Amino acid sequence: MEERLQKVLAQRGVASRRHAETLIEAGRVRVNGAIAHLGQKADPQQDRIELDGRLIAPPTRPAHHYFLLNKPQRVVCSCEDPQGRKTVLAFVPRNLQRGTGLHPVGRLDFNSTGALLLTNDGDLTYRLTHPRHHVTKTYRVVVTGKPSATTLRQWQQGIHLSGRRTLPAQVKVVSTTESPNRTELEIILREGRNRQIRRVAEQLGHPVKNLHRLAIGPIHLGSLGIGKVRELTDVELIQLCVTPDDG
């Protein structure tokens, strides 16, 4: 059965749908010897699909893997880094680091820490990262100074960022100290624009000192230590609308 090419690539663990679209646009994908174009459909059972000259095989879908990582600081949220920095794939079992299509679902900044999902299930990546699904993400954030009630209300209601208003967010004070230079906030977002929390905090006059993600939708770090990784449980997969034994 024919399906959109980016979906076929994602289902076979080559890349997320979004990254697959980039690969297609770059002319790196061929179908039956011809350079593919965005929007093209293909039948993985009938058509010869290649990436950079390498046949995407076998035609059956690979086993799916689902991991939760508590990302440390100074680690790159990508599968490889041209600067040679450590990437998030370094934390999954060595036999899964190459050739399985594992990739991070979304991003955390180089110096941010916390919950990050890794999978080779392109459909799940699409569901969790597409803006229309509004998957919540929960953060513990330390900012400079003590935001006023007015400032917190602005943050909660949304502000203009790069010409577009941010969605309403849940922002509450978790703790303060006698020092005027530090406030700990809990922030729950329903969108994931580039460096959103850091940019909003900067714009409101309270730059971020530390950012740690506690949860992605129903998936919580719990007691998982920094730099540790674990497989998602069957219950968590069901919460993400994944059939536990589907891969």
Side-chain angles (χ1 to χ4, degrees), residues 162-222:
S162 300
R164 183 161 57 94
R165 194 175 188 84
T166 60
L167 292 178
Q170 297 179 47
V171 184
K172 68 178 183 180
V173 174
V174 175
S175 67
T176 59
T177 64
E178 293 182 1
S179 167
N181 295 321
R182 186 180 189 275
T183 301
E184 189 174 7
L185 304 172
E186 181 180 274
I187 300 174
I188 302 178
L189 299 182
R190 294 187 296 118
E191 61 181 337
R193 292 162 64 177
N194 183 39
R195 304 185 79 248
Q196 180 172 335
I197 290 177
R198 292 183 184 274
R199 292 162 63 203
V200 170
E202 183 80 30
Q203 189 166 314
L204 292 175
H206 297 278
V208 169
K209 286 178 168 287
N210 182 270
L211 189 152
H212 182 70
R213 186 155 66 195
L214 298 172
I216 301 168
I219 311 303
H220 293 257
L221 280 177

Side-chain angles (χ1 to χ4, degrees), residues 133-181:
H133 295 302
H134 299 309
V135 176
T136 60
K137 298 179 181 67
T138 305
Y139 300 84
R140 190 62 53 87
V141 182
V142 177
V143 298
T144 302
K146 294 190 176 181
S148 66
T150 299
T151 297
L152 292 175
R153 191 159 48 248
Q154 285 180 283
W155 203 333
Q156 291 161 353
Q157 293 173 350
I159 69 168
H160 286 282
L161 197 65
S162 300
R164 183 161 57 94
R165 194 175 188 84
T166 60
L167 292 178
Q170 297 179 47
V171 184
K172 68 178 183 180
V173 174
V174 175
S175 67
T176 59
T177 64
E178 293 182 1
S179 167
N181 295 321

Side-chain angles (χ1 to χ4, degrees), residues 218-220 230-241:
I219 311 303
H220 293 257
R230 67 167 176 82
E231 292 187 75
L232 296 189
T233 67
D234 286 355
V235 170
E236 289 171 328
L237 291 176
I238 291 170
Q239 290 174 326
L240 293 175
C241 300

Side-chain angles (χ1 to χ4, degrees), residues 28 35 38 42 49 52 61 83 93 102 125 132-133 143 147 161 166 168 170 172 212 218 226:
R28 296 172 58 184
I35 295 176
L38 202 58
I49 304 170
D52 295 334
R61 300 181 185 182
Q83 299 179 41
L102 270 178
T125 300
R132 75 166 177 258
H133 295 302
V143 298
L161 197 65
T166 60
Q170 297 179 47
K172 68 178 183 180
H212 182 70
I226 285 283

Side-chain angles (χ1 to χ4, degrees), residues 111-127:
N111 287 315
S112 297
T113 62
L116 183 76
L117 294 176
L118 298 108
T119 186
N120 58 347
D121 183 343
D123 286 340
L124 177 62
T125 300
Y126 179 77
R127 290 199 301 272

Side-chain angles (χ1 to χ4, degrees), residues 40-165:
Q40 182 172 348
K41 293 185 176 182
D43 183 346
Q45 302 297 329
Q46 303 290 332
D47 296 315
R48 181 181 178 87
I49 304 170
E50 298 171 280
L51 171 64
D52 295 334
R54 176 175 60 87
L55 182 65
I56 303 302
T60 54
R61 300 181 185 182
H64 283 154
H65 301 281
Y66 307 89
F67 292 101
L68 174 65
L69 168 68
N70 191 344
K71 176 192 169 299
Q73 285 188 324
R74 304 186 64 78
V75 173
V76 182
C77 271
S78 65
C79 298
E80 55 186 27
D81 182 62
Q83 299 179 41
R85 295 172 297 182
K86 188 178 227 180
T87 75
V88 292
L89 288 189
F91 297 90
V92 301
R94 186 176 295 275
N95 65 310
L96 298 178
Q97 291 178 9
R98 294 185 178 277
T100 61
L102 270 178
H103 56 267
V105 180
R107 301 181 64 83
L108 274 175
D109 292 336
F110 186 60
N111 287 315
S112 297
T113 62
L116 183 76
L117 294 176
L118 298 108
T119 186
N120 58 347
D121 183 343
D123 286 340
L124 177 62
T125 300
Y126 179 77
R127 290 199 301 272
L128 293 179
T129 58
H130 196 283
R132 75 166 177 258
H133 295 302
H134 299 309
V135 176
T136 60
K137 298 179 181 67
T138 305
Y139 300 84
R140 190 62 53 87
V141 182
V142 177
V143 298
T144 302
K146 294 190 176 181
S148 66
T150 299
T151 297
L152 292 175
R153 191 159 48 248
Q154 285 180 283
W155 203 333
Q156 291 161 353
Q157 293 173 350
I159 69 168
H160 286 282
L161 197 65
S162 300
R164 183 161 57 94
R165 194 175 188 84

